[in-house]
Amino acid sequence: MVQANLTSVIIFFFLGFSHYPKVEVIVFVLCLLMYLITLLGSIILISITVLDSHLHKPMYFFLGNLSFLDIWYTSSAFIPMLANFVSGKNTISFLGCAAQMYFSLAMGSTECVLLSMMAYDRYVAICNPLRYPIIMNKSVCVQIAAGSWVAGCLTALVETVSVLQLSVCGHNTINHFACEILAVLKLVCVDTSVVELIMLVITILLLPMTMLLICVSYAFILSNILRISSVDGQSKAFSTCAAHLTVVILFYGTALSMYLKPSAIDSQEIDKFTALVYGGLTPMLNPIIYSLRNKEVKAAVKKLLIRNPFGTVLISALNNIGASRLT
């Protein structure tokens, strides 16, 4: 076989779920729904955190950042996939593949860091409420958010450049629905030990280390909750923490199973569905779990709708539906 650098490949072909035509249609519908819900929920959250002065707090500042990167995260993977399914081409250019790989890695890496910082923010707010405004002041919040973005973008750049310098042996068909870095590595016919070592170090820093910080933060939070005398207060606090941890475990669990499994294990078909979970399901759940269940956010959404004529009609209709059900 003739060896050539990945950069010399003009176009890549995706296998996607083409081996399972019926499954492919179901996956398309699910991905479209997940993407639209993520887009709607994230845009609503970003809008209210910007427009409502009552939500100009560290928690909602980080949630706005999380929503913004979730839009980019899902868009980078799902828009090309949905477009390919409709057109029936299942192709992507080299530049498109490189961009998709980079943005997917960058947004996923940034989310890992940002989720750990959000857990730390909740720890300070609950366990040190009197010092919270001093510790998490505006300057610190901006630095934390900027640091998360820089860390995610730089690590993604290192991984992407490392992979694109490798050589392939006349094979340009990716057994995935997107230019996922592990799927692209399957095309390489040279020694990948150095690249795998780089990826391993970055993965350990971004996944187990940040997850450990989240677990420690929530351990202190839960310890503090147990001191609450009100049973109702404990129940609400536990419910909120459980919801947060469910999303965190779902995101980190699937990502860990992808990037820290032994290289000898070939599970590309499973990897595709795993990628749908951490790349589609968790971004969709983030606005719902972290914010739309929050009373302050609900009040801000209602206020925003009241200011809008269409929103007033919508609220009136919902109230009428509720009244009719009561009667």
Side-chain angles (χ1 to χ4, degrees):
M1 288 189 178
V2 179
Q3 289 189 11
N5 286 341
L6 273 169
T7 51
S8 66
V9 178
I10 299 173
I11 195 168
F12 291 97
F13 294 89
F14 293 126
L15 281 182
F17 300 94
S18 56
H19 294 314
Y20 316 97
K22 292 182 180 179
V23 173
E24 194 173 27
V25 175
I26 295 171
V27 168
F28 170 79
V29 174
L30 289 175
C31 288
L32 181 60
L33 286 173
M34 286 192 293
Y35 180 65
L36 292 176
I37 293 171
T38 301
L39 202 61
L40 179 62
S42 298
I43 289 173
I44 289 174
L45 185 55
I46 291 170
S47 300
I48 60 175
T49 53
V50 171
L51 297 174
D52 195 320
S53 59
H54 294 96
L55 299 184
H56 291 176
K57 301 174 183 178
M59 174 183 173
Y60 300 107
F61 171 74
F62 292 130
L63 284 173
N65 274 269
L66 181 65
S67 298
F68 182 73
L69 74 85
D70 277 343
I71 291 174
W72 279 94
Y73 193 19
T74 52
S75 297
S76 65
F78 282 7
I79 287 181
M81 183 187 73
L82 296 172
N84 282 335
F85 182 86
V86 173
S87 65
K89 292 181 178 179
N90 285 333
T91 60
I92 191 170
S93 66
F94 166 76
L95 289 177
C97 186
Q100 187 181 60
M101 190 193 306
Y102 173 73
F103 279 111
S104 179
L105 285 170
M107 298 304 103
S109 301
T110 303
E111 183 153 343
C112 289
V113 182
L114 191 61
L115 285 173
S116 65
M117 293 298 99
M118 289 170 63
Y120 174 73
D121 170 69
R122 290 298 82 207
Y123 156 72
V124 177
I126 294 171
C127 299
N128 296 283
L130 297 179
R131 298 181 59 200
Y132 179 66
I134 300 171
I135 297 173
M136 300 300 294
N137 57 63
K138 186 177 180 180
S139 175
V140 170
C141 291
V142 171
Q143 289 173 16
I144 288 175
S148 300
W149 282 92
V150 170
C153 292
L154 285 180
T155 52
L157 183 63
V158 171
E159 289 179 297
T160 304
V161 171
S162 300
V163 171
L164 294 180
Q165 290 179 344
L166 300 176
S167 299
V168 293
C169 296
H171 187 47
N172 63 339
T173 302
I174 301 173
N175 189 11
H176 210 277
F177 59 82
C179 284
E180 203 278 328
I181 190 167
L182 294 178
V184 174
L185 270 177
K186 297 289 183 181
L187 307 181
V188 175
C189 59
V190 295
D191 182 31
T192 59
S193 56
V194 175
V195 175
E196 288 177 358
L197 179 60
I198 292 171
M199 290 179 60
L200 178 63
V201 172
I202 292 174
T203 300
I204 290 174
L205 290 173
L206 291 176
L207 287 172
M209 296 300 291
T210 55
M211 189 175 182
L212 179 62
L213 179 57
I214 292 172
C215 292
V216 170
S217 297
Y218 273 98
F220 281 109
I221 290 170
L222 292 173
S223 174
N224 197 71
I225 289 171
L226 291 174
R227 299 172 191 168
I228 299 174
S229 56
S230 169
V231 177
D232 186 51
Q234 282 187 356
S235 177
K236 288 180 180 178
F238 274 120
S239 174
T240 301
C241 288
H244 290 187
L245 286 174
T246 299
V247 177
V248 167
I249 291 170
L250 195 62
F251 177 76
Y252 280 92
T254 51
L256 284 168
S257 69
M258 278 273 290
Y259 292 99
L260 285 184
K261 70 176 185 295
S263 57
I265 298 177
D266 187 9
S267 56
Q268 286 181 277
E269 297 303 317
I270 297 173
D271 287 351
K272 295 176 193 178
F273 290 99
T274 305
L276 290 177
V277 175
Y278 73 75
L281 184 60
T282 51
M284 181 188 73
L285 293 176
N286 279 338
I288 300 169
I289 297 297
Y290 278 103
S291 53
L292 298 181
R293 297 170 73 248
N294 188 294
K295 290 181 180 179
E296 287 183 314
V297 174
K298 287 180 180 178
V301 171
K302 191 172 182 179
K303 189 188 300 181
L304 187 64
L305 289 174
I306 290 173
R307 291 175 183 172
N308 190 313
F310 174 76
T312 306
V313 174
L314 180 61
I315 291 174
S316 177
L318 291 173
N319 288 335
N320 289 335
I321 292 171
S324 63
R325 285 181 178 177
L326 289 173
T327 55

